[in-house]
């Protein structure tokens, strides 16, 4: 059994005005991987390529050890997929839609689906259009989990939800996934969602993967150096990930706090980097020393 | 394939059932209220053409809800999806025609006979009209959804307008030429039918429709593989 839920090599997709550039990415098996990046960075394109909803120009994608095109049926029967706007029929009840989807999945369990529906408080006899956005997402989650998917892929599942509903959905997700050894890839631009559930974080920017790391490493080793430009120049280039000018100096995102402290001295001001700051500094700074 | 057909049935049952009833009533009403006795073949040709729009209606519905992306995320190949569109399309259209014909025959039991009796060519007529309509429409709908249907219908109308304008402005022979071509096809078909007899001619028609639909299916598969959601 491969250690990777998803392995992507040299993936390329070109649109007018945007290119997903030769992406290499490993999504580890059994963990929650958050895909973050600003709007238009390529998160949805990457997910659609994995699901073969758009055609790739180059590269390979292996899902659960199988090629996503050659073994499309086998791959998709093991994936639960959730869209940011789930494309269900608005004028039909939830029960009808679940009945239409169930036969496609050999591992679909009606008992499991009904259990999830009960837990999520889904009104199965109600028409889809009568539901709130949050309940629609919960329905999509119940459908995705009812066939015991080994891999969940979710495109902005919490977008458009209010804070309370977002938290509830993520709690449901983590509770459901706990101890089941499932792999999850979910895209978001809401960094607090990552703090809550992700084990790994992949940052995508301008169609390229900027980094893909365990969340703990990001939290423990990355930091923001607040200093003046002359001191910033003393930082080793290998640890620089981004930065920006500030009124009273510069902020530099570094991938190794210890190395930064060694270069600048023990009294250097180095703060822990939140996901928001990582996103902002990498977005502004281009990920290189020159940015600062 | 059966799973896809079952899915389409569940998702469209509230649309298809009433459409059958409504369309049947409409198709019965016209001839029943008119004073003339219409040929059964002509009537069933019209019904067949209308019923070929039933599958288009279900596909437009899917497009409306953007549910194509959902189908393509299910564990099925795109070729299987296209094949189910064709098979389902034929089933929907032929069931619609059968419902309308059964209703018309039922009406005749009550002494209302607005049509001349059917000829042995009836099944071939139905299959040909349904087959031609589906073969032309489905590739456009499958690839472009709702936009495809409207483009096809508007394009056909524009083509007609352009031909008429060209005939009126430049040379009436353009229109005459098209009329002559249509007449040649009709008379050629009639000669072939006389030469072969109704049974063999029907077989030729059905075989031609089958070949055309297969070509249309292959084209649709090619187009659908390129469709992005």
């Amino acid at each position: 059994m491969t250690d990777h839920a998803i392995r992507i090599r040299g993936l390329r997709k070109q649109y007018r005005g945007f290119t997903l550039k030769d992406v290499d990415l490993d999504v580890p098996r059994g963990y929650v991987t958050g895909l973050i990046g600003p709007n238009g960075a390529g998160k949805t394109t990457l997910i659609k390529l994995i699901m073969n909803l758009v055609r790739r120009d180059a590269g390979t994608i292996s899902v659960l050890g199988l090629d996503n095109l050659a073994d499309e049926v086998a791959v998709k029967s093991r994936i639960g997929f959730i869209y940011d706007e789930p494309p269900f029929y608005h004028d039909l009840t939830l029960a009808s839609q679940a009945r239409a989807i169930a036969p496609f999945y050999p591992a679909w369990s009606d008992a499991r689906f009904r259990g999830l529906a009960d837990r999520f408080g889904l009104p199965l006899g109600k028409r889809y259009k009568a539901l709130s956005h949050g309940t629609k997402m919960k329905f999509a989650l119940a459908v995705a989990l009812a066939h015991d998917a080994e891999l969940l892929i979710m495109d902005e599942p919490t977008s458009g939800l209010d804070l309370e509903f977002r938290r509830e959905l993520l709690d449901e997700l983590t509770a459901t996934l706990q101890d089941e050894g499932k792999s999850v890839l979910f895209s978001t631009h809401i960094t607090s969602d990552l703090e809550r559930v992700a084990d790994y974080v992949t940052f995508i920017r301008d169609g390229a993967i900027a980094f893909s790391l365990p969340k703990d490493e990001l939290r423990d080793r990355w930091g923001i150096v607040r200093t003046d430009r002359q001191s910033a120049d003393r930082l080793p280039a290998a640890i620089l990930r981004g930065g920006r000018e500030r009124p009273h100096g510069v902020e530099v995102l570094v991938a190794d706090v210890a190395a930064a402290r060694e270069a600048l001295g023990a009294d250097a001001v180095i703060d822990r980097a939140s996901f928001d700051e990582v996103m902002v500094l990498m977005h502004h700074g281009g990920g290189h020393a020159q940015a600062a | 394939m059966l799973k896809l057909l079952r899915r389409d049935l569940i998702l469209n049952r509230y649309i298809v059932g009433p459409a059958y009833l409504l369309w049947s009533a409409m198709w019965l009403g016209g001839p029943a209220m008119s004073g003339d006795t219409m040929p059964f073949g002509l009537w069933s040709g019209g019904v067949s053409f209308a019923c070929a729009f039933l599958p288009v209606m279900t596909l437009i519905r899917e497009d409306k809800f953007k549910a194509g992306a959902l189908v393509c995320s299910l564990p099925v190949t795109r070729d299987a999806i296209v094949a189910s569109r064709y098979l389902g399309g034929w089933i929907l259209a032929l069931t619609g025609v059968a419902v309308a014909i059964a209703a018309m025959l039922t009406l005749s039991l009550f002494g209302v006979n607005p049509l001349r009796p059917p000829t042995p060519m009836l099944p071939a007529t139905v299959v040909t009209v349904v087959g031609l309509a589906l073969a032309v429409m489905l590739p456009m709908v499958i690839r472009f959804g709702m936009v495809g249907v409207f483009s096809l219908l508007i394009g056909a109308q524009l083509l007609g307008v352009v031909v008429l304008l060209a005939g009126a402005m430049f040379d009436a022979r353009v229109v005459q030429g098209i009329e002559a071509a249509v007449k040649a096809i009709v008379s050629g078909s009639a000669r072939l039918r006389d030469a072969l007899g109704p049974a063999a001619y029907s077989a030729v028609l059905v075989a031609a429709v089958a070949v055309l639909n297969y070509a249309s299916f292959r084209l649709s598969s090619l187009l659908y593989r390129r469709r992005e959601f």
Side-chain angles (χ1 to χ4, degrees), chain A residues 13 15 48 51-55 73 76-77 81 83 87-92 96 99 103-105, chain B residues 3-4 6 10-11 13-14 61-62 65-67 69-70 72-75 77-78 225-226 228-229:
Chain A
K13 172 71 183 174
Y15 290 111
K48 284 183 172 178
M51 291 303 294
N52 191 26
L53 293 174
V54 296
R55 284 154 55 88
V73 174
K76 286 184 177 172
S77 65
F81 184 41
Y83 299 79
F88 292 108
Y89 280 57
H90 294 200
D91 54 356
L92 294 177
S96 291
R99 207 165 63 241
F104 289 94
Y105 296 99
Chain B
K3 292 174 205 163
L4 284 162
R6 180 181 181 275
I10 292 172
L11 298 179
R13 64 190 190 280
Y14 295 123
R61 223 167 97 73
E62 183 178 282
F65 296 126
K66 297 184 171 64
L70 180 67
C72 286
S73 68
L74 293 172
T77 60
R78 293 209 179 187
R225 271 182 240 149
R226 303 185 70 84
E228 301 195 334
F229 294 96

Side-chain angles (χ1 to χ4, degrees), chain B residues 101-119:
Chain B
I101 289 177
M104 183 56 86
L105 294 177
T106 309
L107 208 61
S108 68
L109 294 177
F110 296 96
V112 183
N113 283 311
L115 302 177
R116 285 178 223 158
T119 66

Side-chain angles (χ1 to χ4, degrees), chain B residues 27-46:
Chain B
W27 285 101
L28 292 181
M33 284 188 285
S34 103
D36 300 332
T37 310
M38 193 187 281
F40 207 107
L42 183 63
W43 177 80
S44 58

